[in-house]
Amino acid sequence: MISRISRTLLLIQLGIAILFYFLLRHFDWPIAPAALGGVGIVLLLRAQITANSFFLTWPYRGRTSNPVEITWLQIGKLFLREFRATMLCSSWAMPFLRFDQFTYPDTTSPPVLLIHGYGCNSGYWRWMSLALREAHITHYALDMEPVFGSIDGYAPLVDAAVRRVQAETGQQKIVIVAHSMGGLAARAYLRDHGTTHIARVITLGTPHHGTAIANFGIGINCGEMNWLGRYEEGRSSEWLQKLAATEEAEALGAIVSIYSHHDNIISPQSSAHLEGAWNIPVIGIGHVALALEPAIQEMVIELIHNTRD
């Protein structure tokens, strides 16, 4: 479904570019500048959407438990890398590059299940997959639907995927790598099934305590990962509170939470810090860009290599 939605949005953007092309031609612009102008308008609209996510989370800057300031040059790089990541994922990977699995019989590392976040599909993992392939790590990807359904409803999908990976690889335990809401789906799975089949869960930018920007989204899952109230004085959604109340220490101990102090979707950014888990904060990386950053990919691969049953 997400791939169809993404392709539809691309067609709409193409229509906008063509509309502005003819509008500029009407004002006697030459063909090449008019074409560039039409494309430029679309890029500006897309850049505004990315910028808006930073504006919405900006009030939470410096209110995290461990605020980390960055320079204006770093802020510029942060925005450009996040804009690049959103363009690559939403305009190329998610519409056209969904995948199911890549297996390597010669691997010595545990197999991996990749779980995407809200509004995404397996195409989001394109660049992480390339890194995993280079490292000869067997990995599978899961598409979670319905897109706007309850996170509780994703737990059975994760369970079926885990069992499939086990059956096809012959391994008793696997590693889950999850981005954003996918980390909450992984925690829901651990709540229901424990760590019997899981060696480690690595979450990237997961709103473990909720995110205020979810208030602007649609779907049951957005309501479940809300952050209610303002800044650090707010609280997690009722669903997240119930999830936390039913989790075992063993399950939390299996989680590695990698998150950015400058995440433009998780607000407050400290929401990604999960008590009882191994928390690894980074700086200067946006939300979508997390799985595309070579440094994060190397970190994830090292964690996978060092995982033991």
Side-chain angles (χ1 to χ4, degrees):
M1 181 177 178
I2 284 296
S3 58
R4 293 197 300 271
I5 293 173
S6 298
R7 289 194 290 267
T8 300
L9 290 175
L10 281 177
L11 286 175
I12 293 173
Q13 293 170 57
L14 177 61
I16 293 173
I18 292 173
L19 175 65
F20 274 95
Y21 165 77
F22 282 110
L23 181 63
L24 293 173
R25 288 287 291 151
H26 177 74
F27 289 101
D28 297 324
W29 281 46
I31 293 177
L36 290 174
V39 173
I41 290 294
V42 172
L43 290 176
L44 285 174
L45 290 173
R46 293 294 305 273
Q48 175 58 37
I49 293 173
T50 300
N52 191 51
S53 67
F54 283 96
F55 291 139
L56 290 173
T57 56
W58 189 258
Y60 297 88
R61 185 184 70 90
R63 295 177 183 268
T64 61
S65 56
N66 295 295
V68 178
E69 297 292 341
I70 56 177
T71 66
W72 282 106
L73 178 60
Q74 290 173 309
I75 291 173
K77 290 180 179 179
L78 164 65
F79 172 78
L80 290 175
R81 292 191 321 207
E82 179 70 0
F83 176 57
R84 169 182 172 272
T86 58
M87 290 296 295
L88 286 172
C89 289
S90 63
S91 300
W92 175 238
M94 291 193 297
F96 307 113
L97 298 179
R98 291 172 58 193
F99 68 94
D100 182 56
Q101 67 181 95
F102 292 94
T103 57
Y104 296 92
D106 62 339
T107 186
T108 58
S109 298
V112 173
L113 175 63
L114 301 170
I115 307 178
H116 63 77
Y118 176 80
C120 296
N121 61 20
S122 56
Y124 169 76
W125 294 109
R126 164 69 176 180
W127 290 269
M128 180 66 77
S129 176
L130 291 174
L132 293 174
R133 281 183 251 174
E134 187 175 347
H136 274 221
I137 295 174
T138 293
H139 56 284
Y140 291 67
L142 170 65
D143 283 323
M144 295 192 298
E145 293 188 355
V147 176
F148 304 119
S150 170
I151 299 173
D152 284 323
Y154 299 143
L157 300 179
V158 175
D159 180 49
V162 168
R163 293 181 183 278
R164 177 195 172 198
V165 175
Q166 286 181 294
E168 295 186 7
T169 64
Q171 298 295 312
Q172 293 300 308
K173 288 198 172 187
I174 75 167
V175 172
I176 290 177
V177 179
H179 177 248
S180 194
M181 184 193 69
L184 299 180
R187 284 175 61 193
Y189 164 83
L190 292 177
R191 174 201 62 200
D192 295 342
H193 301 280
T195 58
T196 303
H197 306 304
I198 305 300
R200 175 170 282 172
V201 174
I202 303 169
T203 66
L204 306 178
T206 290
H208 288 298
H209 303 287
T211 174
I213 210 169
N215 290 290
F216 299 95
I218 59 174
I220 299 171
N221 41 17
C222 267
E224 291 172 341
M225 56 183 171
N226 268 350
W227 175 263
L228 307 171
R230 293 179 61 81
Y231 313 132
E232 292 294 309
E233 294 77 29
R235 67 185 189 281
S236 301
S237 69
E238 182 179 349
W239 184 87
L240 283 168
Q241 292 179 45
K242 288 181 178 179
L243 175 64
T246 56
E247 285 178 302
E248 300 289 341
E250 182 181 5
L252 292 171
I255 298 174
V256 181
S257 177
I258 301 173
Y259 66 94
S260 174
H261 281 294
H262 304 101
D263 194 303
N264 54 303
I265 297 296
I266 309 304
S267 55
Q269 288 84 1
S270 58
S271 170
H273 187 281
L274 181 62
E275 296 79 2
W278 178 7
N279 294 279
I280 305 177
V282 297
I283 64 171
I285 302 178
H287 186 74
V288 177
L290 276 166
L292 281 70
E293 286 291 325
I296 302 298
Q297 294 167 359
E298 292 174 10
M299 190 183 302
V300 169
I301 289 171
E302 183 178 359
L303 287 166
I304 294 168
H305 282 326
N306 292 334
T307 298
R308 296 292 180 266
D309 289 349

